[in-house]
Amino acid sequence: MGTASSPGDAAGPRQAAGNGSGRRGQAARGVRALLQEHPAWVLLRSRNAAAAVVLLDRNLGASRRRLPVEQLADRIDDDLPELRRAGFELPYSGYFYVSEWIDEGVLVRRRVPQAAGETGTETVELSDGALLAIRFVSRLSKPHPAVTPSRLGAVLDGLHSLADEADPDPETRLASLLEQRAALDARIERARRGDDDALPPDAAAERAREILALAGDIPADLARVRTELERTDRELRRRLLESDGSRDTFLDDIYRGVDHLAESEAGRGLVAFRDLLRQAEHTAQNDVGRVLDSVHLAPGEASALRRLLPTLQDAADELTDTMAGLRRALQRMVRSGELPAERALRRLLGEAQDAALAIAPDVAPGAEVRLTLSVGTVAPRSVGGFVPHNPGGEDAEASAAAPALPPRAVSLTALRAMARDSEIDVDELRGHVNERVGAVGRATVASVLAAHPATQGAASVVGLLTLAEQHGVLTGKSEDVNWRSSRGVARRAVLPQNQFEEQVP
């Protein structure tokens, strides 16, 4: 005979199931957000994912890590014809794909500072998500053996070491150490007798590959550390702007030089990583040499092992410099005396946003707002072309104390070279066209390029086409146009034929 259950008892299982369903729904929403936003998933879901992974790995993988934007675009342009011949639909230029990857977060764009008075170079590097995606594809194309004794041994050794070192009982730790010493003494005795054989070649190579596999995840970890440091820096700046400044302990800490970035989780991990790498640098370098001398590895594996320590050292030094630069910039922000003005600007922006939200119900989104702004005499140009002056910068005191230098003569050749880096040399192209017209009476873009190579690559071709549209005559035919890129790669295009029948003014 069964017992009757109360309504509360009956509701319990349903409530538990509801909570579980809620947790599953929340987890699914989190995965959907990753699917739409995480750079690794965005890259793998893109239409040209296969080509993109190969191009990014070829040009930014291994030890290259970072390239100027223009140089990466040129490299992509050089690789695109081969991929197109292989059947991939890639209709756009390398610069288009680089810009798209930057917008999607696959590439991270940074400005590398140069010497005083010079404009920094804009570079791009793989984001942590892109590194994860490339690593994932590499593991799929070259899967690890299903079961390897070295991988299991690494897990078991790590587990045993953790259990020994984390045990709070000193007697247990002492017994473990004595056991390890006894095993080491026995191994030393076998080595003295000549009974301790070296690791078999296959097992040694397998273990070396396991080490390389573990090390392969470190670049993505370091990229995430950089991203976390930058996020922490933005949070610290937000706290500074939102504080009232009256009796602010956080502001005082920054002024006194307290390093909040180094105290963050990412900062502590970076400091520990750098210190361990520095302590083990000499021993690890010797170990790499011994492994390369005694273990037979494929050329690519040997090269990766040889580059392992220098690559990690460079990455750790670069991240340390990044953290130090962010800390100095934060301190300059506090000590420059401009913080009150930035707080006032933030307050005014907030008030403007509040006012806009207040009138939003009464003003249609497409309503015309009559607002007149007076434009100065300076011609508008891209914001990215401006280099803001920081009066509290690192070189401010040195610049103020340095004696004024006498004016130097400016080289016209140097100015022309600088102009050619960013502008099409129309004067040169006009001279080439006029030379051909004067020699044979008429000329086309192809004949001009045949007589005068494109010194600026595709830019010279674009300049000639512009002159042809302005001063030439369409013949209704097409012609093959050949030139070489800035890296010397042969290019070819079929263009509508324009004919110059008289000299270009």
Side-chain angles (χ1 to χ4, degrees):
M1 182 175 178
T3 56
S5 62
S6 65
D9 296 334
R14 286 197 300 270
Q15 184 176 359
N19 290 339
S21 178
R23 287 192 296 271
R24 288 191 293 272
Q26 183 178 0
R29 285 192 297 270
V31 173
R32 182 174 61 188
L34 288 175
L35 176 68
Q36 297 171 348
E37 301 171 5
H38 197 283
W41 224 328
V42 170
L43 175 59
L44 295 177
R45 290 177 61 239
S46 62
R47 184 179 59 180
N48 295 310
V53 168
V54 171
L55 290 172
L56 291 172
D57 187 29
R58 167 181 166 81
N59 293 292
L60 288 175
S63 59
R64 282 182 285 273
R65 292 203 338 257
R66 182 180 297 110
L67 284 175
V69 174
E70 294 79 6
Q71 186 176 349
L72 177 60
D74 285 344
R75 288 174 176 267
I76 299 298
D77 278 330
D78 293 341
D79 293 335
L80 286 177
E82 181 180 351
L83 291 172
R84 289 167 181 154
R85 289 193 296 270
F88 290 92
E89 185 179 350
L90 299 164
Y92 303 112
S93 66
Y95 195 85
F96 173 87
Y97 294 114
V98 171
S99 301
E100 186 177 50
W101 291 330
I102 291 173
D103 293 339
E104 293 172 347
V106 173
L107 294 178
V108 178
R109 179 166 47 189
R110 305 189 191 281
R111 182 169 291 277
V112 179
Q114 300 292 332
E118 298 182 4
T119 304
T121 303
E122 194 175 66
T123 64
V124 287
E125 60 190 73
L126 294 173
S127 66
D128 60 328
L131 288 167
L132 285 174
I134 293 172
R135 183 76 173 154
F136 173 73
V137 173
S138 176
R139 287 176 173 174
L140 288 180
S141 59
K142 297 179 181 178
H144 196 278
V147 177
T148 56
S150 59
R151 174 167 294 195
L152 178 59
V155 172
L156 296 179
D157 290 344
L159 180 62
H160 185 69
S161 176
L162 174 62
D164 288 342
E165 296 176 9
D167 196 319
D169 185 1
E171 295 295 332
T172 304
R173 294 199 303 274
L174 177 60
S176 177
L177 291 172
L178 291 174
E179 180 182 350
Q180 294 176 30
R181 186 171 70 177
L184 185 58
D185 289 339
R187 186 173 178 183
I188 291 173
E189 185 60 29
R190 288 198 304 271
R192 283 175 178 166
R193 296 195 307 264
D195 297 335
D196 190 23
D197 296 331
L199 202 63
D202 292 344
E206 177 193 317
R207 189 171 299 182
R209 295 187 188 100
E210 287 291 345
I211 294 172
L212 289 173
L214 289 173
D217 294 329
I218 295 180
D221 295 339
L222 294 175
R224 281 193 295 273
V225 169
R226 179 192 283 272
T227 302
E228 184 62 24
L229 286 174
E230 293 173 343
R231 187 200 64 78
T232 303
D233 178 68
R234 291 193 297 270
E235 178 63 23
L236 294 175
R237 289 174 177 271
R238 185 190 63 79
R239 287 182 59 185
L240 281 175
L241 293 175
E242 290 182 351
S243 60
D244 57 9
S246 55
R247 297 183 60 85
D248 193 337
T249 304
F250 176 65
L251 179 62
D252 293 340
D253 287 346
I254 298 294
Y255 193 86
R256 291 197 308 270
V258 176
D259 194 350
H260 287 272
L261 284 168
E263 294 176 355
S264 66
E265 182 179 354
R268 291 194 303 270
L270 173 59
V271 171
F273 179 87
R274 181 196 59 198
D275 291 345
L276 178 59
L277 186 60
R278 185 173 300 164
Q279 293 169 8
E281 176 182 358
H282 181 69
T283 302
Q285 193 65 48
N286 289 337
D287 291 341
V288 168
R290 293 168 58 195
V291 169
L292 291 174
D293 290 340
S294 57
V295 180
H296 177 69
L297 296 172
E301 295 169 341
S303 177
L305 187 61
R306 192 177 293 108
R307 293 195 314 263
L308 177 59
L309 286 176
T311 301
L312 294 180
Q313 289 163 350
D314 291 344
D317 291 343
E318 183 182 336
L319 274 180
T320 302
D321 292 341
T322 297
M323 187 167 65
L326 292 175
R327 182 187 67 247
R328 289 194 298 268
L330 202 61
Q331 291 174 352
R332 287 198 301 268
M333 179 181 178
V334 172
R335 296 174 179 174
S336 64
E338 297 182 357
L339 191 57
E342 296 206 16
R343 285 172 171 164
L345 178 61
R346 183 183 179 88
R347 184 177 65 255
L348 291 173
L349 290 174
E351 292 174 357
Q353 289 177 344
D354 293 340
L357 290 174
I359 66 172
D362 303 321
V363 179
E368 182 180 359
V369 178
R370 295 188 175 275
L371 179 64
T372 303
L373 295 177
S374 57
V375 181
T377 57
V378 179
R381 54 188 177 133
S382 170
V383 177
F386 292 96
V387 180
H389 170 64
N390 183 2
E394 296 177 356
D395 56 347
E397 297 181 3
S399 299
L405 297 176
R408 294 182 301 174
V410 178
S411 169
L412 183 59
T413 303
L415 290 177
R416 284 175 175 166
M418 293 173 60
R420 281 175 60 87
D421 288 339
S422 57
E423 300 290 341
I424 297 176
D425 194 343
V426 180
D427 291 338
E428 178 190 67
L429 299 176
R430 186 182 294 112
H432 292 169
V433 172
N434 292 339
E435 186 276 329
R436 285 286 85 199
V437 173
V440 299
R442 62 185 60 185
T444 64
V445 172
S447 65
V448 172
L449 288 175
H452 302 282
T455 59
Q456 292 181 290
S460 296
V461 180
V462 172
L464 284 173
L465 288 174
T466 303
L467 290 176
E469 289 181 357
Q470 295 172 351
H471 306 285
V473 177
L474 277 172
T475 64
K477 303 177 182 178
S478 60
E479 62 178 351
D480 289 345
V481 177
N482 299 277
W483 73 96
R484 289 189 175 274
S485 70
S486 58
R487 295 178 61 195
V489 179
R491 303 286 194 190
R492 175 181 174 273
V494 179
L495 303 174
Q497 188 181 67
N498 282 273
Q499 187 164 270
F500 296 99
E501 299 181 347
E502 57 185 21
Q503 293 194 346
V504 176

